[in-house]
Amino acid sequence: MANQLALIQNETLKVWKKKRFAVIVLILLVLVPVFVYAQLKIAENNKDKFTDWRAELRQRIIDNTNALSSDRVPEEWKKWRVALVQQLQYDLDHDVNPNTPNAVTFTNSFLRNAVGMFIPLMVLAVASDLVSSERSTGTIKMLLTRPVRRWRILFSKLVTLTLYVSLIIVATAAVSYLVSGLVFGYEGWREPVFVGFRLAGSDIDTADVHAITQGAYLLMLMGLVWFSAMVVAILAFMVSVLVRSTAASLVTMMAAVISGAILSNMASSWHSAKYLFNVNLDLTVYLQGSPPPIDGMTLGFSLAVLGVWAIAALVVSFAVFTKQDILN
Amino acid sequence: MEQAQEREGRPSRRQAFQPGRPSGKTQGDVVLSVERVSKSIGRKPIIRDISFDVRAGEIFGFLGPNGSGKTTTIRMLVDLIKPTGGRISVCGEDVNRSPERALRHVGCIVENPEMYSYMTGWENLAHFARMQPDIPEARIEEVVDIVGLDARIHDKVKTYSLGMRQRLGIAQALLGSPKLLILDEPTNGLDPKGIKELRAFIRELADGGMSVFVSSHLLSEIQLMCDRVAIIGQGRVIAVGKVEELVAQAETYTLWLVSDPERAEALLREHPDARVVGEDEHRIDESLLAAMPGAIVTSMEPDAVPGWVERFVAAGIGVQAVHRASPSLEELFLKLTEGERLG
């Protein structure tokens, strides 16, 4: 029985030799500087507006501290203000202008913006022809006539896919950190960022708000981005098993991802849309505390919906791949 | 099934040097057995109840026109398509139930030898070697050497010519030292020299004890290469047997090229021991007719030929050439299918 590791080595090698990952890194190297430049322009613009940022920070701290002693401010708002004051005080103490980005904050905001479209697109570059390319080039006839059970071949492709998705996330973060650091400096890992905001109806529930470092925040972001990227990858994997043409499988998945982005903006009153996988892809909204696309969606809910979609896709992929007749 | 003890005491490649190849060969043990296999796609039956065996060390031809179910059958042999009914086994292992064991004994090229064009020949072979147990690097070198690709093996496959891809495909098929080699239309796209080399190569492999299963729609190909043949048409096996035995069932023609065809033909029609065969009655290879333009095609016993030469000479008709044309497999095929249709 052929070694499963050897099969995974085969699949990994094939994706590598196809230079898919090289293309992805190249795209990152071209695009990230563009975003860095845009960020730089924003920072310069802010600098012009707020000439003395230290004075401004001090003023905000005073305003918020005053508000804390006021009886008219509800209790939960006070918590949030305490958190804010902490953050502002930290910035002041460490001589950090909050309006000046650094490499870590840039990476975080880049990841948040990339999760909906950019990362899925790069994942599709690997995932959508993982199986369909074997069929369209005819190599599947060689692959499946070797003494290996079909599910093992598909499994090795799945492991390879997981490896490359992880690599893509890490590469995206690494490239954006390294490139933006050239301009903004590589500091910023220990700066605090506040998480735990929860939307309860129209109010923000600040009960769980606490500060974590930007570094930890980056790790959490990467985890969430990884999860949603894996779901896109697995769905693309299924489409690539079902559809013979790579172009068709790519277009199908692109359409699904893009329609998710569109739906997120307009489906807030269509409640059952929250069970679609594509409106759940942006998991980072829960970390930022921004309102989810549809009422009633929480981090747990989105993870569960995405998980169910992924498992269903895997079941279909394996069932079809192990049974289907290779007719052409 | 037949003479299972053959395996130990197989006379090996010695047989190779016997000139009259298939007749002298003893029947080896069964390497590939196809029993009552059928396949329907939707409701449409594609393959209906076919059976045949391929024995050790023989070259087995699989002949049928396009659309006869040849490709479907080959794909079932290597587990690309699951049969609807029946059983296919290689060396006693069921191909569809335990492909990981049965396919260990099989090397194959289904249709074109498609390899990963973005990798080198060597990387392709290493890739497929990793899919089988215990194939050392030395074995890869060995198969590269066998197919004579040494010079270009580290080049990308996309730079290969069709002939080189074919060689690489064969190298891949040979990696696991299979007992059965399945080649689907192996001569497609090769030049005459390449075809000749391939034929000699296949014979060599068979002499080494490997069974080779060759499909073709080229009738002459099967005649030149195979020991036994199964003829398939409309999803059914029409006949299985030794090539020459099957060929003997069809008529042999005698072609006459004479100085005065009209008189010769009149003479031929007078005698009952010869029959003039009309133009649309026979299916002699056209290249043969082109070499003898205006020849009279007759059907007669071989013994009658010298008598006829004398008769023509006596009648003042010059005999320029006499040629015995064995029937082509196409003719045989038509004969067999005609019977089928009538029955």
Side-chain angles (χ1 to χ4, degrees), chain A residues 1-2 9-10 13-14 17-18 134 137-139 141-143 145-150 153 325-328, chain B residues 39 75 78-82 97 100 103-104 106 108 110-111 114-116 118 123 127-128 130-132 172:
Chain A
M1 191 156 286
Q9 184 190 350
N10 273 351
L13 214 60
K14 280 188 274 185
K17 295 270 176 191
K18 259 193 265 184
E134 301 268 9
T137 59
T139 46
K141 289 178 292 183
M142 296 279 187
L143 199 66
T145 54
R146 296 297 78 221
V148 179
R149 285 208 170 256
R150 287 190 186 184
I153 290 174
D325 285 342
I326 309 298
L327 294 170
N328 38 26
Chain B
K39 173 72 186 176
R75 283 170 185 245
V78 292
D79 195 40
L80 287 175
I81 295 180
K82 316 266 182 209
R97 291 228 181 94
E100 75 281 10
L103 291 177
R104 206 176 287 179
V106 182
C108 65
V110 178
E111 281 174 337
E114 281 124 346
M115 300 292 231
Y116 300 102
Y118 49 86
E123 285 167 343
H127 169 275
F128 288 107
R130 278 191 288 268
M131 297 187 73
Q132 301 171 67
Q172 187 279 127

CSV table of all heavy atoms in Angstrom, one decimal, chain A residues 1-2 9-10 13-14 17-18 134 137-139 141-143 145-150 153 325-328, chain B residues 39 75 78-82 97 100 103-104 106 108 110-111 114-116 118 123 127-128 130-132 172:
chain,number,residue,atom,x,y,z
A,1,MET,N,0.8,-1.2,0.0
A,1,MET,CA,0.0,0.0,0.0
A,1,MET,C,0.9,1.2,0.0
A,1,MET,O,1.8,1.4,0.8
A,1,MET,CB,-0.9,0.0,1.2
A,1,MET,CG,-2.0,1.0,1.2
A,1,MET,SD,-3.4,0.6,2.2
A,1,MET,CE,-4.2,-0.7,1.2
A,2,ALA,N,0.6,2.1,-0.9
A,2,ALA,CA,1.5,3.3,-1.1
A,2,ALA,C,1.3,4.2,0.2
A,2,ALA,O,0.3,4.3,0.7
A,2,ALA,CB,1.1,4.1,-2.3
A,9,GLN,N,3.1,14.2,-0.8
A,9,GLN,CA,4.3,14.8,-1.4
A,9,GLN,C,4.0,15.0,-2.9
A,9,GLN,O,4.3,16.1,-3.5
A,9,GLN,CB,5.5,13.9,-1.2
A,9,GLN,CG,6.8,14.4,-1.7
A,9,GLN,CD,7.9,13.4,-1.8
A,9,GLN,OE1,7.7,12.3,-1.2
A,9,GLN,NE2,9.0,13.7,-2.4
A,10,ASN,N,3.4,14.0,-3.6
A,10,ASN,CA,3.1,14.1,-5.0
A,10,ASN,C,2.2,15.4,-5.3
A,10,ASN,O,2.5,16.2,-6.2
A,10,ASN,CB,2.3,12.9,-5.5
A,10,ASN,CG,3.3,11.8,-5.9
A,10,ASN,OD1,4.5,12.0,-6.0
A,10,ASN,ND2,2.7,10.6,-6.2
A,13,LEU,N,3.9,18.7,-4.6
A,13,LEU,CA,4.9,19.0,-5.6
A,13,LEU,C,4.2,19.5,-6.9
A,13,LEU,O,4.7,20.4,-7.6
A,13,LEU,CB,5.6,17.7,-5.9
A,13,LEU,CG,7.1,17.8,-6.3
A,13,LEU,CD1,7.9,18.4,-5.1
A,13,LEU,CD2,7.7,16.4,-6.5
A,14,LYS,N,3.1,18.9,-7.3
A,14,LYS,CA,2.4,19.3,-8.5
A,14,LYS,C,2.0,20.7,-8.4
A,14,LYS,O,2.1,21.5,-9.4
A,14,LYS,CB,1.3,18.3,-8.8
A,14,LYS,CG,1.7,17.0,-9.4
A,14,LYS,CD,0.5,16.2,-9.9
A,14,LYS,CE,0.0,15.3,-8.8
A,14,LYS,NZ,-1.1,14.4,-9.2
A,17,LYS,N,5.1,22.9,-8.7
A,17,LYS,CA,5.7,22.9,-10.0
A,17,LYS,C,4.8,23.7,-11.0
A,17,LYS,O,5.2,24.2,-12.0
A,17,LYS,CB,5.8,21.5,-10.6
A,17,LYS,CG,6.8,20.7,-9.8
A,17,LYS,CD,8.2,20.9,-10.3
A,17,LYS,CE,9.2,20.1,-9.4
A,17,LYS,NZ,10.6,20.4,-9.7
A,18,LYS,N,3.5,23.8,-10.7
A,18,LYS,CA,2.6,24.5,-11.6
A,18,LYS,C,2.8,26.0,-11.3
A,18,LYS,O,2.2,26.9,-12.0
A,18,LYS,CB,1.1,24.2,-11.3
A,18,LYS,CG,0.6,23.2,-12.3
A,18,LYS,CD,-0.9,23.1,-12.2
A,18,LYS,CE,-1.3,22.0,-11.3
A,18,LYS,NZ,-2.8,21.8,-11.2
A,134,GLU,N,-6.6,17.6,-13.5
A,134,GLU,CA,-6.2,16.2,-13.8
A,134,GLU,C,-7.2,15.7,-14.9
A,134,GLU,O,-6.8,14.9,-15.7
A,134,GLU,CB,-6.3,15.4,-12.5
A,134,GLU,CG,-5.5,15.8,-11.4
A,134,GLU,CD,-4.1,15.2,-11.4
A,134,GLU,OE1,-3.7,14.5,-12.4
A,134,GLU,OE2,-3.3,15.4,-10.4
A,137,THR,N,-6.6,17.6,-18.4
A,137,THR,CA,-5.4,17.2,-19.1
A,137,THR,C,-5.3,15.7,-19.4
A,137,THR,O,-4.4,15.2,-20.1
A,137,THR,CB,-4.1,17.6,-18.4
A,137,THR,OG1,-4.2,17.0,-17.1
A,137,THR,CG2,-4.0,19.1,-18.2
A,138,GLY,N,-6.2,14.9,-18.8
A,138,GLY,CA,-6.2,13.5,-19.0
A,138,GLY,C,-5.3,12.7,-18.1
A,138,GLY,O,-5.3,11.5,-18.1
A,139,THR,N,-4.5,13.4,-17.3
A,139,THR,CA,-3.6,12.7,-16.4
A,139,THR,C,-4.3,11.9,-15.3
A,139,THR,O,-3.7,11.0,-14.7
A,139,THR,CB,-2.7,13.7,-15.7
A,139,THR,OG1,-3.5,14.8,-15.2
A,139,THR,CG2,-1.6,14.3,-16.6
A,141,LYS,N,-6.3,9.6,-15.8
A,141,LYS,CA,-6.3,8.2,-16.3
A,141,LYS,C,-5.0,7.5,-15.8
A,141,LYS,O,-5.1,6.3,-15.5
A,141,LYS,CB,-6.3,8.1,-17.8
A,141,LYS,CG,-7.7,8.5,-18.3
A,141,LYS,CD,-7.8,8.5,-19.8
A,141,LYS,CE,-6.9,9.6,-20.4
A,141,LYS,NZ,-7.0,9.6,-21.8
A,142,MET,N,-3.9,8.2,-15.7
A,142,MET,CA,-2.7,7.6,-15.1
A,142,MET,C,-2.8,7.6,-13.6
A,142,MET,O,-2.5,6.6,-13.0
A,142,MET,CB,-1.5,8.5,-15.4
A,142,MET,CG,-1.2,8.6,-16.9
A,142,MET,SD,-0.3,7.2,-17.4
A,142,MET,CE,0.2,7.7,-19.1
A,143,LEU,N,-3.4,8.6,-13.0
A,143,LEU,CA,-3.5,8.8,-11.6
A,143,LEU,C,-4.3,7.7,-10.9
A,143,LEU,O,-4.0,7.1,-9.9
A,143,LEU,CB,-4.0,10.1,-11.2
A,143,LEU,CG,-3.8,10.7,-9.8
A,143,LEU,CD1,-2.3,10.9,-9.6
A,143,LEU,CD2,-4.6,11.9,-9.6
A,145,THR,N,-5.3,4.8,-12.3
A,145,THR,CA,-5.0,3.4,-12.6
A,145,THR,C,-3.8,2.9,-11.9
A,145,THR,O,-3.4,1.8,-12.2
A,145,THR,CB,-4.8,3.2,-14.2
A,145,THR,OG1,-3.8,4.1,-14.6
A,145,THR,CG2,-6.1,3.6,-14.9
A,146,ARG,N,-3.4,3.6,-10.9
A,146,ARG,CA,-2.3,3.1,-10.1
A,146,ARG,C,-2.9,2.4,-8.9
A,146,ARG,O,-4.0,2.7,-8.5
A,146,ARG,CB,-1.4,4.3,-9.6
A,146,ARG,CG,-0.6,5.0,-10.7
A,146,ARG,CD,0.4,4.2,-11.4
A,146,ARG,NE,-0.2,3.3,-12.4
A,146,ARG,CZ,0.1,2.1,-12.6
A,146,ARG,NH1,1.0,1.5,-12.0
A,146,ARG,NH2,-0.5,1.4,-13.6
A,147,PRO,N,-2.1,1.5,-8.3
A,147,PRO,CA,-2.7,0.7,-7.2
A,147,PRO,C,-2.9,1.5,-5.9
A,147,PRO,O,-2.3,1.2,-4.9
A,147,PRO,CB,-1.7,-0.5,-7.0
A,147,PRO,CG,-0.5,0.1,-7.5
A,147,PRO,CD,-0.8,1.1,-8.6
A,148,VAL,N,-3.8,2.5,-6.0
A,148,VAL,CA,-4.1,3.3,-4.8
A,148,VAL,C,-5.6,3.5,-4.8
A,148,VAL,O,-6.2,3.8,-5.9
A,148,VAL,CB,-3.4,4.6,-4.8
A,148,VAL,CG1,-3.7,5.5,-3.6
A,148,VAL,CG2,-1.9,4.5,-4.9
A,149,ARG,N,-6.2,3.4,-3.7
A,149,ARG,CA,-7.6,3.6,-3.6
A,149,ARG,C,-7.9,5.1,-3.9
A,149,ARG,O,-7.2,6.0,-3.5
A,149,ARG,CB,-8.2,3.2,-2.3
A,149,ARG,CG,-8.3,1.7,-2.1
A,149,ARG,CD,-9.4,1.3,-1.2
A,149,ARG,NE,-9.7,-0.1,-1.3
A,149,ARG,CZ,-10.7,-0.6,-1.9
A,149,ARG,NH1,-11.6,0.2,-2.5
A,149,ARG,NH2,-10.9,-1.9,-2.0
A,150,ARG,N,-9.1,5.3,-4.5
A,150,ARG,CA,-9.4,6.7,-4.9
A,150,ARG,C,-9.5,7.7,-3.8
A,150,ARG,O,-9.1,8.8,-3.9
A,150,ARG,CB,-10.7,6.8,-5.7
A,150,ARG,CG,-10.5,6.2,-7.1
A,150,ARG,CD,-11.7,6.5,-7.9
A,150,ARG,NE,-11.7,5.8,-9.2
A,150,ARG,CZ,-12.6,6.0,-10.1
A,150,ARG,NH1,-13.7,6.7,-9.9
A,150,ARG,NH2,-12.6,5.3,-11.3
A,153,ILE,N,-6.3,9.2,-2.8
A,153,ILE,CA,-5.8,10.2,-3.7
A,153,ILE,C,-6.4,11.6,-3.4
A,153,ILE,O,-5.8,12.6,-3.3
A,153,ILE,CB,-6.0,9.8,-5.1
A,153,ILE,CG1,-5.0,8.7,-5.5
A,153,ILE,CG2,-5.7,11.0,-6.1
A,153,ILE,CD1,-5.2,8.0,-6.8
A,325,ASP,N,-17.5,7.3,-12.9
A,325,ASP,CA,-16.8,6.7,-14.1
A,325,ASP,C,-16.0,7.8,-14.8
A,325,ASP,O,-16.5,8.9,-15.0
A,325,ASP,CB,-17.8,6.1,-15.0
A,325,ASP,CG,-18.4,4.9,-14.5
A,325,ASP,OD1,-17.8,4.3,-13.6
A,325,ASP,OD2,-19.5,4.5,-15.0
A,326,ILE,N,-14.8,7.5,-15.2
A,326,ILE,CA,-14.0,8.4,-15.9
A,326,ILE,C,-14.2,8.1,-17.4
A,326,ILE,O,-13.6,7.2,-17.9
A,326,ILE,CB,-12.5,8.3,-15.6
A,326,ILE,CG1,-12.3,8.3,-14.1
A,326,ILE,CG2,-11.6,9.4,-16.3
A,326,ILE,CD1,-12.7,9.6,-13.4
A,327,LEU,N,-15.1,8.9,-18.0
A,327,LEU,CA,-15.5,8.5,-19.4
A,327,LEU,C,-14.6,9.3,-20.4
A,327,LEU,O,-14.6,8.9,-21.6
A,327,LEU,CB,-17.0,8.8,-19.6
A,327,LEU,CG,-17.9,8.0,-18.7
A,327,LEU,CD1,-19.3,8.5,-18.8
A,327,LEU,CD2,-17.9,6.5,-19.2
A,328,ASN,N,-14.0,10.4,-20.0
A,328,ASN,CA,-13.2,11.0,-21.0
A,328,ASN,C,-12.0,11.6,-20.4
A,328,ASN,O,-11.8,11.7,-19.2
A,328,ASN,CB,-14.0,12.1,-21.7
A,328,ASN,CG,-14.9,12.9,-20.7
A,328,ASN,OD1,-14.6,12.9,-19.6
A,328,ASN,ND2,-16.0,13.4,-21.2
B,39,LYS,N,-22.0,-3.3,-19.1
B,39,LYS,CA,-22.0,-1.9,-18.6
B,39,LYS,C,-23.1,-1.2,-19.3
B,39,LYS,O,-23.3,-1.2,-20.6
B,39,LYS,CB,-20.7,-1.2,-19.0
B,39,LYS,CG,-20.6,0.3,-18.7
B,39,LYS,CD,-20.6,0.5,-17.2
B,39,LYS,CE,-20.7,2.0,-16.9
B,39,LYS,NZ,-20.8,2.3,-15.4
B,75,ARG,N,-11.3,0.8,-20.2
B,75,ARG,CA,-11.4,1.6,-19.0
B,75,ARG,C,-12.0,0.8,-17.8
B,75,ARG,O,-11.7,1.0,-16.7
B,75,ARG,CB,-12.3,2.8,-19.2
B,75,ARG,CG,-11.5,3.9,-20.0
B,75,ARG,CD,-12.4,5.0,-20.4
B,75,ARG,NE,-11.6,5.9,-21.3
B,75,ARG,CZ,-11.3,7.2,-20.9
B,75,ARG,NH1,-11.8,7.7,-19.8
B,75,ARG,NH2,-10.6,7.9,-21.7
B,78,VAL,N,-9.1,-1.3,-16.1
B,78,VAL,CA,-8.2,-0.6,-15.1
B,78,VAL,C,-9.0,0.3,-14.1
B,78,VAL,O,-8.4,1.2,-13.5
B,78,VAL,CB,-7.2,0.3,-15.9
B,78,VAL,CG1,-6.2,-0.6,-16.7
B,78,VAL,CG2,-7.9,1.3,-16.8
B,79,ASP,N,-10.3,-0.1,-13.9
B,79,ASP,CA,-11.0,0.5,-12.8
B,79,ASP,C,-11.3,2.0,-13.0
B,79,ASP,O,-11.6,2.8,-12.1
B,79,ASP,CB,-10.3,0.4,-11.5
B,79,ASP,CG,-11.3,0.6,-10.3
B,79,ASP,OD1,-12.5,0.2,-10.4
B,79,ASP,OD2,-10.9,1.3,-9.3
B,80,LEU,N,-11.3,2.5,-14.3
B,80,LEU,CA,-11.7,3.9,-14.5
B,80,LEU,C,-13.2,3.9,-14.6
B,80,LEU,O,-13.8,4.9,-14.3
B,80,LEU,CB,-11.1,4.4,-15.8
B,80,LEU,CG,-9.6,4.8,-15.7
B,80,LEU,CD1,-9.0,5.2,-17.0
B,80,LEU,CD2,-9.3,5.9,-14.7
B,81,ILE,N,-13.8,2.8,-15.1
B,81,ILE,CA,-15.2,2.7,-15.2
B,81,ILE,C,-15.7,1.4,-14.4
B,81,ILE,O,-15.0,0.4,-14.5
B,81,ILE,CB,-15.7,2.6,-16.7
B,81,ILE,CG1,-15.4,3.9,-17.4
B,81,ILE,CG2,-17.2,2.3,-16.8
B,81,ILE,CD1,-15.7,3.9,-18.8
B,82,LYS,N,-16.7,1.5,-13.6
B,82,LYS,CA,-17.2,0.4,-12.9
B,82,LYS,C,-18.2,-0.4,-13.8
B,82,LYS,O,-19.2,0.2,-14.3
B,82,LYS,CB,-17.9,0.8,-11.6
B,82,LYS,CG,-17.2,1.9,-10.8
B,82,LYS,CD,-16.3,1.3,-9.8
B,82,LYS,CE,-15.6,2.4,-9.0
B,82,LYS,NZ,-14.3,2.0,-8.5
B,97,ARG,N,-13.2,-4.4,-6.9
B,97,ARG,CA,-13.3,-4.5,-5.4
B,97,ARG,C,-12.0,-4.2,-4.7
B,97,ARG,O,-12.0,-3.5,-3.7
B,97,ARG,CB,-13.7,-5.9,-5.0
B,97,ARG,CG,-15.1,-6.2,-5.5
B,97,ARG,CD,-16.0,-6.9,-4.4
B,97,ARG,NE,-17.3,-7.1,-4.9
B,97,ARG,CZ,-17.6,-8.3,-5.4
B,97,ARG,NH1,-16.8,-9.3,-5.4
B,97,ARG,NH2,-18.8,-8.5,-5.9
B,100,GLU,N,-6.4,-1.6,-5.4
B,100,GLU,CA,-5.1,-1.4,-4.9
B,100,GLU,C,-4.2,-2.6,-4.9
B,100,GLU,O,-3.0,-2.5,-4.9
B,100,GLU,CB,-5.1,-0.8,-3.4
B,100,GLU,CG,-5.4,-1.8,-2.3
B,100,GLU,CD,-6.9,-2.1,-2.2
B,100,GLU,OE1,-7.7,-1.7,-3.1
B,100,GLU,OE2,-7.3,-2.7,-1.2
B,103,LEU,N,-4.4,-3.7,-9.4
B,103,LEU,CA,-3.7,-2.8,-10.4
B,103,LEU,C,-2.2,-2.8,-10.2
B,103,LEU,O,-1.5,-2.2,-11.0
B,103,LEU,CB,-4.3,-1.4,-10.3
B,103,LEU,CG,-5.7,-1.2,-10.8
B,103,LEU,CD1,-6.2,0.2,-10.6
B,103,LEU,CD2,-5.8,-1.6,-12.3
B,104,ARG,N,-1.7,-3.4,-9.1
B,104,ARG,CA,-0.3,-3.5,-8.9
B,104,ARG,C,0.3,-4.4,-10.0
B,104,ARG,O,1.5,-4.2,-10.3
B,104,ARG,CB,-0.1,-4.2,-7.5
B,104,ARG,CG,1.2,-3.9,-6.9
B,104,ARG,CD,1.3,-4.5,-5.5
B,104,ARG,NE,0.5,-3.8,-4.6
B,104,ARG,CZ,0.4,-4.2,-3.3
B,104,ARG,NH1,1.1,-5.3,-2.9
B,104,ARG,NH2,-0.4,-3.6,-2.4
B,106,VAL,N,-0.7,-4.4,-13.1
B,106,VAL,CA,-1.1,-3.8,-14.4
B,106,VAL,C,-0.3,-2.5,-14.7
B,106,VAL,O,-0.2,-1.7,-13.8
B,106,VAL,CB,-2.6,-3.5,-14.4
B,106,VAL,CG1,-3.0,-2.9,-15.8
B,106,VAL,CG2,-3.4,-4.7,-14.0
B,108,CYS,N,-0.5,0.5,-17.7
B,108,CYS,CA,-1.4,0.8,-18.8
B,108,CYS,C,-1.2,2.2,-19.3
B,108,CYS,O,-0.7,3.1,-18.7
B,108,CYS,CB,-2.9,0.6,-18.4
B,108,CYS,SG,-3.4,1.8,-17.1
B,110,VAL,N,-4.0,4.5,-21.3
B,110,VAL,CA,-5.4,4.6,-21.8
B,110,VAL,C,-5.4,5.8,-22.7
B,110,VAL,O,-5.1,6.9,-22.3
B,110,VAL,CB,-6.4,4.7,-20.7
B,110,VAL,CG1,-7.8,4.9,-21.2
B,110,VAL,CG2,-6.3,3.5,-19.7
B,111,GLU,N,-5.7,5.5,-24.0
B,111,GLU,CA,-5.7,6.5,-25.0
B,111,GLU,C,-4.3,7.1,-25.1
B,111,GLU,O,-3.3,6.4,-25.2
B,111,GLU,CB,-6.8,7.6,-24.8
B,111,GLU,CG,-8.1,7.1,-25.3
B,111,GLU,CD,-9.2,8.0,-25.0
B,111,GLU,OE1,-9.1,8.9,-24.1
B,111,GLU,OE2,-10.3,7.9,-25.7
B,114,GLU,N,-0.9,10.7,-21.4
B,114,GLU,CA,-0.9,12.1,-20.9
B,114,GLU,C,-0.1,12.1,-19.6
B,114,GLU,O,-0.4,11.4,-18.6
B,114,GLU,CB,-2.3,12.6,-20.7
B,114,GLU,CG,-2.9,13.1,-22.0
B,114,GLU,CD,-4.2,12.4,-22.3
B,114,GLU,OE1,-4.5,11.4,-21.6
B,114,GLU,OE2,-4.9,12.9,-23.2
B,115,MET,N,0.9,13.0,-19.5
B,115,MET,CA,1.7,13.2,-18.3
B,115,MET,C,1.6,14.6,-17.9
B,115,MET,O,1.1,15.4,-18.7
B,115,MET,CB,3.2,12.8,-18.6
B,115,MET,CG,3.3,11.3,-19.1
B,115,MET,SD,2.9,10.2,-17.7
B,115,MET,CE,4.3,9.2,-17.7
B,116,TYR,N,2.2,14.9,-16.8
B,116,TYR,CA,2.2,16.3,-16.3
B,116,TYR,C,3.2,17.1,-17.1
B,116,TYR,O,4.4,16.9,-17.0
B,116,TYR,CB,2.5,16.4,-14.8
B,116,TYR,CG,1.5,15.6,-14.0
B,116,TYR,CD1,1.8,14.4,-13.5
B,116,TYR,CD2,0.2,16.1,-13.8
B,116,TYR,CE1,0.8,13.6,-12.8
B,116,TYR,CE2,-0.8,15.4,-13.1
B,116,TYR,CZ,-0.5,14.2,-12.6
B,116,TYR,OH,-1.4,13.5,-12.0
B,118,TYR,N,4.2,20.1,-17.1
B,118,TYR,CA,5.0,21.1,-16.4
B,118,TYR,C,6.1,20.5,-15.6
B,118,TYR,O,6.8,21.2,-14.9
B,118,TYR,CB,4.1,22.0,-15.6
B,118,TYR,CG,3.2,21.3,-14.7
B,118,TYR,CD1,3.6,20.9,-13.4
B,118,TYR,CD2,1.9,21.0,-15.1
B,118,TYR,CE1,2.7,20.2,-12.6
B,118,TYR,CE2,1.0,20.3,-14.3
B,118,TYR,CZ,1.4,19.9,-13.0
B,118,TYR,OH,0.6,19.2,-12.2
B,123,GLU,N,10.6,13.6,-13.2
B,123,GLU,CA,9.7,13.9,-12.1
B,123,GLU,C,8.4,13.2,-12.3
B,123,GLU,O,7.8,12.8,-11.3
B,123,GLU,CB,9.5,15.4,-12.1
B,123,GLU,CG,10.7,16.2,-11.6
B,123,GLU,CD,10.6,17.7,-11.8
B,123,GLU,OE1,9.8,18.1,-12.7
B,123,GLU,OE2,11.3,18.4,-11.2
B,127,HIS,N,7.0,10.6,-9.6
B,127,HIS,CA,5.6,10.8,-9.1
B,127,HIS,C,4.9,9.5,-9.1
B,127,HIS,O,4.3,9.1,-8.1
B,127,HIS,CB,4.9,11.9,-10.0
B,127,HIS,CG,3.5,12.0,-9.7
B,127,HIS,ND1,2.5,11.2,-10.4
B,127,HIS,CD2,2.8,12.9,-9.0
B,127,HIS,CE1,1.3,11.6,-10.0
B,127,HIS,NE2,1.4,12.6,-9.1
B,128,PHE,N,4.9,8.8,-10.3
B,128,PHE,CA,4.1,7.6,-10.3
B,128,PHE,C,4.8,6.4,-9.6
B,128,PHE,O,4.1,5.5,-9.1
B,128,PHE,CB,3.9,7.2,-11.8
B,128,PHE,CG,2.9,8.1,-12.5
B,128,PHE,CD1,3.2,9.0,-13.4
B,128,PHE,CD2,1.5,8.1,-12.1
B,128,PHE,CE1,2.3,9.9,-14.0
B,128,PHE,CE2,0.6,8.9,-12.6
B,128,PHE,CZ,1.0,9.8,-13.6
B,130,ARG,N,6.1,6.8,-6.7
B,130,ARG,CA,5.7,7.0,-5.3
B,130,ARG,C,4.3,6.4,-5.1
B,130,ARG,O,3.9,6.2,-3.9
B,130,ARG,CB,5.8,8.4,-4.9
B,130,ARG,CG,7.1,8.9,-4.5
B,130,ARG,CD,7.1,10.3,-3.9
B,130,ARG,NE,6.8,11.3,-4.9
B,130,ARG,CZ,7.7,12.0,-5.6
B,130,ARG,NH1,8.9,11.8,-5.4
B,130,ARG,NH2,7.3,12.9,-6.4
B,131,MET,N,3.6,6.2,-6.1
B,131,MET,CA,2.2,5.6,-5.9
B,131,MET,C,2.2,4.1,-5.9
B,131,MET,O,1.1,3.5,-5.7
B,131,MET,CB,1.3,6.1,-7.1
B,131,MET,CG,1.2,7.6,-7.1
B,131,MET,SD,0.0,8.2,-8.3
B,131,MET,CE,-1.6,7.7,-7.5
B,132,GLN,N,3.3,3.5,-6.0
B,132,GLN,CA,3.4,2.0,-5.9
B,132,GLN,C,4.4,1.6,-4.9
B,132,GLN,O,5.4,2.4,-4.6
B,132,GLN,CB,3.8,1.5,-7.3
B,132,GLN,CG,2.8,1.9,-8.4
B,132,GLN,CD,3.3,1.5,-9.7
B,132,GLN,OE1,3.4,0.3,-10.1
B,132,GLN,NE2,3.6,2.5,-10.5
B,172,GLN,N,6.4,4.6,-17.7
B,172,GLN,CA,5.6,4.7,-16.5
B,172,GLN,C,4.8,3.4,-16.3
B,172,GLN,O,4.8,2.9,-15.2
B,172,GLN,CB,4.6,5.8,-16.7
B,172,GLN,CG,3.7,6.2,-15.5
B,172,GLN,CD,2.5,5.3,-15.4
B,172,GLN,OE1,2.3,4.7,-14.3
B,172,GLN,NE2,1.7,5.1,-16.4
